[in-house]
Amino acid sequence: MAPVYSALDNLINDFYHMSRISTTFYDATTLQPVIHSNDPGNSFCGVFWQHPAIRSRCDQCDRAALQVASCSNHLHCYTCHAGLLECIYPIFYKDTLLGYFMYGQRRAAEDTPENRDKRFQLYRDFNLDPEEMEKLYQSSPVMDEQQLTSVGHIMSTIAQHTFLSCMLGDHNAPLSTRILLYIQLNHRNAIDTNSACEFFNISKSALQHTI
């Protein structure tokens, strides 16, 4: 694992132990998960994680939501296939997209007929005991979209600090290595000399000699 992801993984684990919010971090270019919590964060989702077929449906739901977020590059809050609130938060530093956080698995304070129908259809599809599953659902932590958005703000700050520390603060890493990481992160964006020089606080001649 790259140093920047290793450092971010440690911080995400600390955040999980503090909040019990399960988090996945997706690479900005490949949209593949590079960091994820090893615990679902609640017993309701824990049942799904034990069933490969249900876990596959969870993954499909996540991928569809990630595609929506990657097209808009804005916060995307949604209700998953099991009726829980989830968010995908794009992480930027200036105009550089660093990646995406996916997190949530929280119950809304007010249940809706649509969410209830989703859950009970899931129970039927996989022969789960509705009474037991509803007990687990009701025991899931409650959060609203504003609270989940605030979580995203905190995680964004964590990610920015981690990436900048690895890209700019690690003077043991060659400038060429840090510039390569910068280019990889900006794969989807137009890169010009001025923005790169501003990011690394170097002159154009220094940049040209490095690359």
Side-chain angles (χ1 to χ4, degrees), residues 1-12 35 158 162-163 166:
M1 182 181 291
V4 63
Y5 291 140
S6 179
L8 189 59
D9 186 31
N10 290 334
L11 289 171
I12 285 177
I35 302 169
I158 291 173
T162 303
F163 273 85
C166 291

Side-chain angles (χ1 to χ4, degrees), residues 91-98 160 164 182 186 189 195 198-201:
I91 308 300
F92 284 90
Y93 176 73
K94 296 184 178 179
D95 294 327
T96 298
L97 178 63
L98 304 177
Q160 289 173 6
L164 288 175
Y182 175 81
N186 281 279
N189 304 319
S195 61
E198 179 183 358
F199 190 93
F200 288 101
N201 192 29

Side-chain angles (χ1 to χ4, degrees), residues 65 68-77 87-90 92 97 100:
V68 173
S70 67
C71 290
S72 67
N73 277 334
H74 290 96
L75 172 68
H76 177 48
C77 293
C87 286
I88 301 177
Y89 197 110
F92 284 90
L97 178 63
Y100 301 88

Side-chain angles (χ1 to χ4, degrees), residues 128-203:
L128 300 174
D129 185 331
E131 183 176 350
E132 289 300 317
M133 291 305 299
E134 281 300 282
K135 288 180 181 178
L136 294 177
Y137 175 79
Q138 294 299 329
S139 70
S140 300
V142 174
M143 294 186 80
D144 58 31
E145 286 193 15
Q146 183 57 55
Q147 290 173 310
L148 287 171
T149 300
S150 297
V151 169
H153 294 333
I154 295 171
M155 297 169 71
S156 175
T157 301
I158 291 173
Q160 289 173 6
H161 170 78
T162 303
F163 273 85
L164 288 175
S165 294
C166 291
M167 292 176 68
L168 301 178
D170 183 7
H171 297 291
N172 293 322
L175 178 59
S176 58
T177 300
R178 289 180 279 155
I179 291 175
L180 178 60
L181 177 57
Y182 175 81
I183 293 172
Q184 291 171 342
L185 291 171
N186 281 279
H187 177 73
R188 295 185 173 187
N189 304 319
I191 303 174
D192 58 53
T193 302
N194 290 333
S195 61
C197 289
E198 179 183 358
F199 190 93
F200 288 101
N201 192 29
I202 59 176
S203 66

